[in-house]
Amino acid sequence: MEKILEVKNISKIYQTPKGEIKALENINFKLKAGEFVSIIGPSGCGKSTLLSIISGLEEKTSGEIFIQGKKVEGISKEIGYMLQKDCLLEWRTIWSNVMLGLELKGIKSKESNEYVKKLLQKYNLYEFKDKYPQELSGGMRQRVALIRTLAIKPKILLLDEAFSALDYQTRIMVTNDIYNILRKENITALIVTHDISEAISMSDRVIVLTKRPGTIKDIHTIEFEEEERNPISCRESPKFSKYFNTLWKELGVDENK
Ligand code: ADP
Ligand code: MG
Protein backbone atom coordinates (compact mmCIF):
# COMPACT_ATOMS: atom_id res chain seq x y z
CA MET A 1 0.00 0.00 0.00
CA GLU A 2 1.12 3.51 -0.77
CA LYS A 3 2.51 5.55 2.13
CA ILE A 4 0.39 8.66 2.64
CA LEU A 5 1.64 10.25 5.85
CA GLU A 6 5.02 10.18 7.50
CA VAL A 7 5.66 11.67 10.92
CA LYS A 8 9.40 11.96 11.40
CA ASN A 9 11.23 12.77 14.63
CA ILE A 10 8.53 15.13 15.88
CA SER A 11 9.22 16.83 19.19
CA LYS A 12 7.34 19.65 20.83
CA ILE A 13 8.26 21.92 23.70
CA TYR A 14 5.71 24.54 24.80
CA GLN A 15 7.19 27.76 26.15
CA THR A 16 5.04 29.02 29.02
CA PRO A 17 5.50 31.80 31.57
CA LYS A 18 6.27 29.06 34.10
CA GLY A 19 8.92 27.46 31.93
CA GLU A 20 9.14 24.79 29.28
CA ILE A 21 6.67 21.93 28.93
CA LYS A 22 8.04 19.05 26.95
CA ALA A 23 4.95 17.56 25.31
CA LEU A 24 6.32 15.17 22.67
CA GLU A 25 9.65 13.52 22.06
CA ASN A 26 10.88 11.90 18.90
CA ILE A 27 7.62 10.62 17.43
CA ASN A 28 8.00 8.46 14.31
CA PHE A 29 5.37 6.56 12.37
CA LYS A 30 3.88 6.16 8.90
CA LEU A 31 0.34 5.69 7.65
CA LYS A 32 -0.51 3.73 4.55
CA ALA A 33 -3.26 5.01 2.28
CA GLY A 34 -6.63 3.85 3.54
CA GLU A 35 -5.30 2.74 6.92
CA PHE A 36 -7.06 3.53 10.21
CA VAL A 37 -4.68 4.11 13.09
CA SER A 38 -5.56 5.07 16.67
CA ILE A 39 -3.40 6.82 19.21
CA ILE A 40 -3.98 6.13 22.88
CA GLY A 41 -2.05 7.25 25.94
CA PRO A 42 -2.47 8.81 29.38
CA SER A 43 -4.21 12.15 29.58
CA GLY A 44 -1.80 15.04 28.98
CA CYS A 45 0.72 12.90 27.09
CA GLY A 46 0.55 15.02 23.96
CA LYS A 47 -2.08 13.31 21.77
CA SER A 48 -3.93 16.50 20.84
CA THR A 49 -0.63 18.30 20.38
CA LEU A 50 0.44 15.65 17.88
CA LEU A 51 -2.76 15.98 15.82
CA SER A 52 -2.51 19.79 15.88
CA ILE A 53 1.05 19.55 14.59
CA ILE A 54 0.05 17.16 11.79
CA SER A 55 -2.84 19.46 10.86
CA GLY A 56 -0.41 22.38 10.71
CA LEU A 57 -2.32 24.43 13.29
CA GLU A 58 0.41 24.03 15.92
CA GLU A 59 4.11 24.54 15.28
CA LYS A 60 6.52 21.70 15.94
CA THR A 61 9.78 22.26 17.78
CA SER A 62 11.63 19.80 15.58
CA GLY A 63 10.98 17.07 13.06
CA GLU A 64 9.15 16.82 9.77
CA ILE A 65 5.75 15.88 8.36
CA PHE A 66 5.45 14.37 4.88
CA ILE A 67 2.20 13.89 3.00
CA GLN A 68 2.45 11.68 -0.07
CA GLY A 69 6.20 12.06 0.08
CA LYS A 70 6.12 15.88 0.13
CA LYS A 71 7.30 17.80 3.15
CA VAL A 72 4.55 20.04 4.50
CA GLU A 73 4.90 23.28 6.40
CA GLY A 74 1.70 24.75 7.81
CA ILE A 75 -1.79 23.73 6.86
CA SER A 76 -2.27 21.04 4.24
CA LYS A 77 -5.36 20.83 2.08
CA GLU A 78 -5.16 17.04 2.20
CA ILE A 79 -6.07 17.03 5.88
CA GLY A 80 -9.48 17.24 7.57
CA TYR A 81 -9.89 17.64 11.31
CA MET A 82 -12.75 16.54 13.56
CA LEU A 83 -12.98 17.52 17.19
CA GLN A 84 -15.04 16.47 20.17
CA LYS A 85 -17.44 19.33 19.69
CA ASP A 86 -19.16 19.17 16.33
CA CYS A 87 -18.72 22.96 16.04
CA LEU A 88 -21.88 23.34 13.95
CA LEU A 89 -23.14 26.91 13.81
CA GLU A 90 -26.62 26.96 15.34
CA TRP A 91 -27.84 29.88 13.26
CA ARG A 92 -26.97 28.23 9.97
CA THR A 93 -28.98 25.48 8.31
CA ILE A 94 -27.46 22.03 7.80
CA TRP A 95 -26.80 22.94 4.17
CA SER A 96 -24.96 26.15 4.97
CA ASN A 97 -23.07 24.39 7.75
CA VAL A 98 -21.74 21.73 5.39
CA MET A 99 -20.82 24.42 2.86
CA LEU A 100 -18.83 26.35 5.46
CA GLY A 101 -15.45 24.73 4.86
CA LEU A 102 -15.69 25.34 1.12
CA GLU A 103 -16.82 28.90 1.75
CA LEU A 104 -13.89 29.61 4.06
CA LYS A 105 -11.46 28.19 1.54
CA GLY A 106 -13.08 30.22 -1.24
CA ILE A 107 -13.64 27.10 -3.34
CA LYS A 108 -17.42 27.07 -3.60
CA SER A 109 -18.43 26.11 -7.10
CA LYS A 110 -21.16 24.33 -9.02
CA GLU A 111 -19.14 21.11 -8.76
CA SER A 112 -18.60 21.42 -5.03
CA ASN A 113 -22.34 22.12 -4.60
CA GLU A 114 -23.13 18.94 -6.50
CA TYR A 115 -20.58 16.96 -4.52
CA VAL A 116 -22.00 18.09 -1.16
CA LYS A 117 -25.51 17.35 -2.34
CA LYS A 118 -24.44 13.83 -3.31
CA LEU A 119 -22.75 13.26 0.04
CA LEU A 120 -25.86 14.41 1.92
CA GLN A 121 -28.06 12.17 -0.20
CA LYS A 122 -25.75 9.18 0.13
CA TYR A 123 -25.67 9.47 3.89
CA ASN A 124 -29.37 10.22 4.42
CA LEU A 125 -29.10 13.85 5.43
CA TYR A 126 -30.36 15.60 2.34
CA GLU A 127 -33.93 15.80 3.60
CA PHE A 128 -32.63 17.66 6.64
CA LYS A 129 -30.70 20.24 4.67
CA ASP A 130 -32.98 23.14 5.61
CA LYS A 131 -33.14 22.24 9.29
CA TYR A 132 -31.00 23.77 12.02
CA PRO A 133 -28.44 21.81 14.10
CA GLN A 134 -30.56 21.86 17.29
CA GLU A 135 -33.29 19.93 15.45
CA LEU A 136 -30.91 16.96 14.95
CA SER A 137 -29.75 14.21 17.33
CA GLY A 138 -26.14 14.12 18.57
CA GLY A 139 -25.30 11.30 16.19
CA MET A 140 -26.74 13.09 13.17
CA ARG A 141 -24.94 16.30 14.09
CA GLN A 142 -21.66 14.38 14.14
CA ARG A 143 -22.48 12.99 10.69
CA VAL A 144 -23.14 16.53 9.45
CA ALA A 145 -19.79 17.63 10.89
CA LEU A 146 -18.14 14.72 9.08
CA ILE A 147 -19.74 15.64 5.76
CA ARG A 148 -18.66 19.27 6.20
CA THR A 149 -15.10 17.93 6.56
CA LEU A 150 -15.43 15.52 3.61
CA ALA A 151 -16.74 18.35 1.42
CA ILE A 152 -13.21 19.70 1.07
CA LYS A 153 -12.08 16.23 -0.10
CA PRO A 154 -9.36 15.52 2.43
CA LYS A 155 -7.23 12.40 2.00
CA ILE A 156 -6.45 12.10 5.69
CA LEU A 157 -8.89 12.69 8.52
CA LEU A 158 -7.69 13.48 12.04
CA LEU A 159 -10.19 12.75 14.79
CA ASP A 160 -9.49 14.09 18.27
CA GLU A 161 -11.81 12.42 20.80
CA ALA A 162 -14.49 13.05 18.20
CA PHE A 163 -17.08 10.84 19.88
CA SER A 164 -16.37 11.39 23.55
CA ALA A 165 -19.18 13.91 24.08
CA LEU A 166 -21.80 11.32 23.08
CA ASP A 167 -23.45 8.91 25.48
CA TYR A 168 -22.29 5.27 25.32
CA GLN A 169 -25.06 3.82 23.09
CA THR A 170 -24.93 6.72 20.66
CA ARG A 171 -21.15 6.60 20.58
CA ILE A 172 -21.13 2.97 19.46
CA MET A 173 -23.66 3.68 16.70
CA VAL A 174 -21.88 6.82 15.57
CA THR A 175 -18.42 5.24 15.45
CA ASN A 176 -19.87 2.43 13.36
CA ASP A 177 -21.59 4.90 11.07
CA ILE A 178 -18.53 7.10 10.64
CA TYR A 179 -16.21 4.12 10.21
CA ASN A 180 -18.34 2.87 7.31
CA ILE A 181 -18.51 6.29 5.65
CA LEU A 182 -14.75 6.77 5.89
CA ARG A 183 -14.02 3.31 4.47
CA LYS A 184 -16.43 3.94 1.59
CA GLU A 185 -14.85 7.29 0.80
CA ASN A 186 -11.31 5.79 0.99
CA ILE A 187 -10.15 8.14 3.69
CA THR A 188 -7.07 7.46 5.81
CA ALA A 189 -7.86 8.08 9.47
CA LEU A 190 -5.75 8.98 12.48
CA ILE A 191 -7.89 8.70 15.59
CA VAL A 192 -7.06 10.00 19.05
CA THR A 193 -9.15 8.46 21.80
CA HIS A 194 -8.88 7.61 25.48
CA ASP A 195 -11.28 4.71 24.92
CA ILE A 196 -9.35 1.46 24.39
CA SER A 197 -12.41 -0.34 22.96
CA GLU A 198 -12.99 2.43 20.45
CA ALA A 199 -9.34 2.27 19.39
CA ILE A 200 -9.44 -1.50 18.84
CA SER A 201 -12.82 -1.50 17.13
CA MET A 202 -11.90 1.17 14.59
CA SER A 203 -8.27 0.51 13.81
CA ASP A 204 -5.80 -1.48 11.78
CA ARG A 205 -3.09 -0.42 14.21
CA VAL A 206 -3.00 1.18 17.66
CA ILE A 207 -0.12 3.42 18.72
CA VAL A 208 0.44 3.60 22.48
CA LEU A 209 2.16 6.68 23.84
CA THR A 210 3.97 6.96 27.17
CA LYS A 211 3.09 9.65 29.65
CA ARG A 212 4.44 13.13 29.01
CA PRO A 213 6.66 13.79 27.20
CA GLY A 214 4.84 11.45 24.86
CA THR A 215 7.04 8.94 23.10
CA ILE A 216 5.93 5.86 21.20
CA LYS A 217 5.81 2.94 23.58
CA ASP A 218 4.42 0.36 21.22
CA ILE A 219 2.49 -0.09 17.99
CA HIS A 220 -0.01 -2.96 17.85
CA THR A 221 -1.48 -4.46 14.70
CA ILE A 222 -5.18 -5.24 15.08
CA GLU A 223 -6.55 -8.03 12.96
CA PHE A 224 -10.01 -9.54 12.82
CA GLU A 225 -11.60 -12.05 10.50
CA GLU A 226 -13.12 -10.38 7.48
CA GLU A 227 -16.72 -10.98 8.62
CA GLU A 228 -15.98 -9.48 12.05
CA ARG A 229 -14.45 -6.34 10.64
CA ASN A 230 -16.75 -3.56 11.68
CA PRO A 231 -16.70 -1.63 14.95
CA ILE A 232 -19.78 -3.35 16.37
CA SER A 233 -19.30 -6.97 15.35
CA CYS A 234 -15.58 -7.12 16.20
CA ARG A 235 -16.50 -6.56 19.85
CA GLU A 236 -17.89 -10.10 19.89
CA SER A 237 -14.61 -11.63 18.79
CA PRO A 238 -12.38 -13.42 21.34
CA LYS A 239 -9.51 -11.47 19.81
CA PHE A 240 -11.15 -8.27 20.97
CA SER A 241 -10.75 -9.06 24.67
CA LYS A 242 -7.21 -10.26 24.06
CA TYR A 243 -6.29 -6.91 22.48
CA PHE A 244 -8.17 -5.08 25.20
CA ASN A 245 -6.22 -6.79 27.99
CA THR A 246 -2.88 -6.14 26.34
CA LEU A 247 -3.60 -2.44 25.84
CA TRP A 248 -5.20 -2.05 29.25
CA LYS A 249 -2.08 -3.46 30.94
CA GLU A 250 0.22 -1.35 28.87
CA LEU A 251 -1.65 1.85 29.74
CA GLY A 252 -2.20 0.91 33.36
CA VAL A 253 1.47 0.32 34.01
CA ASP A 254 2.18 3.76 32.68
CA GLU A 255 -0.54 5.54 34.67
CA ASN A 256 0.74 4.07 37.96
CA LYS A 257 4.38 4.90 37.48
P1 ADP B 1 -3.57 15.02 25.55
O1 ADP B 1 -4.36 15.40 24.35
O2 ADP B 1 -2.80 13.75 25.39
O3 ADP B 1 -4.39 14.98 26.79
P2 ADP B 1 -2.25 17.58 25.10
O4 ADP B 1 -1.59 17.45 23.79
O5 ADP B 1 -3.49 18.37 25.16
O6 ADP B 1 -2.44 16.14 25.77
O7 ADP B 1 -1.20 18.25 26.10
C1 ADP B 1 0.11 17.74 26.34
C2 ADP B 1 0.81 18.62 27.37
O8 ADP B 1 1.09 19.90 26.82
C3 ADP B 1 -0.03 18.87 28.62
O9 ADP B 1 0.81 18.89 29.73
C4 ADP B 1 -0.64 20.23 28.37
O10 ADP B 1 -0.88 20.90 29.58
C5 ADP B 1 0.46 20.92 27.56
N1 ADP B 1 -0.11 21.90 26.62
C6 ADP B 1 -1.03 21.67 25.66
N2 ADP B 1 -1.28 22.78 24.94
C7 ADP B 1 -0.50 23.75 25.48
C8 ADP B 1 -0.29 25.14 25.18
N3 ADP B 1 -0.93 25.74 24.17
N4 ADP B 1 0.60 25.82 25.94
C9 ADP B 1 1.27 25.21 26.93
N5 ADP B 1 1.13 23.91 27.25
C10 ADP B 1 0.26 23.18 26.55
MG1 MG C 1 -6.41 15.83 24.06
Side-chain angles (χ1 to χ4, degrees), residues 69-173:
K70 272 197 224 118
K71 189 165 154 180
V72 278
E73 297 290 348
I75 293 174
S76 162
K77 68 173 177 25
E78 313 296 352
I79 288 188
Y81 207 172
M82 259 183 95
L83 303 167
Q84 180 180 343
K85 285 180 65 191
D86 58 39
C87 300
L88 298 180
L89 303 175
E90 301 294 343
W91 62 91
R92 282 182 161 231
T93 62
I94 298 309
W95 176 261
S96 71
N97 262 291
V98 289
M99 292 304 286
L100 190 65
L102 293 162
E103 222 172 284
L104 293 175
K105 286 186 184 266
I107 48 175
K108 245 170 100 171
S109 64
K110 220 171 163 182
E111 290 76 37
S112 62
N113 260 26
E114 260 322 290
Y115 182 64
V116 168
K117 186 176 165 187
K118 277 209 191 97
L119 282 175
L120 288 174
Q121 285 169 335
K122 191 165 166 189
Y123 298 114
N124 304 322
L125 283 169
Y126 192 67
E127 58 184 297
F128 300 96
K129 71 178 179 20
D130 299 320
K131 299 228 182 276
Y132 288 87
Q134 68 264 27
E135 299 177 78
L136 268 55
S137 68
M140 282 171 83
R141 290 179 62 123
Q142 208 54 329
R143 208 188 311 158
V144 172
L146 175 66
I147 286 171
R148 181 180 55 190
T149 309
L150 295 182
I152 59 168
K153 299 194 173 172
K155 294 207 170 72
I156 305 168
L157 183 64
L158 310 176
L159 298 103
D160 192 354
E161 310 265 5
F163 313 113
S164 58
L166 304 168
D167 65 72
Y168 182 73
Q169 293 290 343
T170 312
R171 197 161 81 225
I172 301 234
M173 298 311 289

Side-chain angles (χ1 to χ4, degrees), residues 43-49 84 160-161 192:
S43 135
C45 76
K47 302 181 292 298
S48 296
T49 300
Q84 180 180 343
D160 192 354
E161 310 265 5
V192 159

Side-chain angles (χ1 to χ4, degrees), residues 12-17 19-24 39-52 58 160-161 192 194 209-210 212-214:
K12 172 72 183 179
I13 297 171
Y14 285 108
Q15 307 291 342
T16 76
E20 293 189 339
I21 296 180
K22 202 167 196 186
L24 291 169
I39 300 176
I40 58 174
S43 135
C45 76
K47 302 181 292 298
S48 296
T49 300
L50 181 56
L51 285 201
S52 304
E58 182 69 69
D160 192 354
E161 310 265 5
V192 159
H194 62 261
L209 298 185
T210 62
R212 189 167 64 81

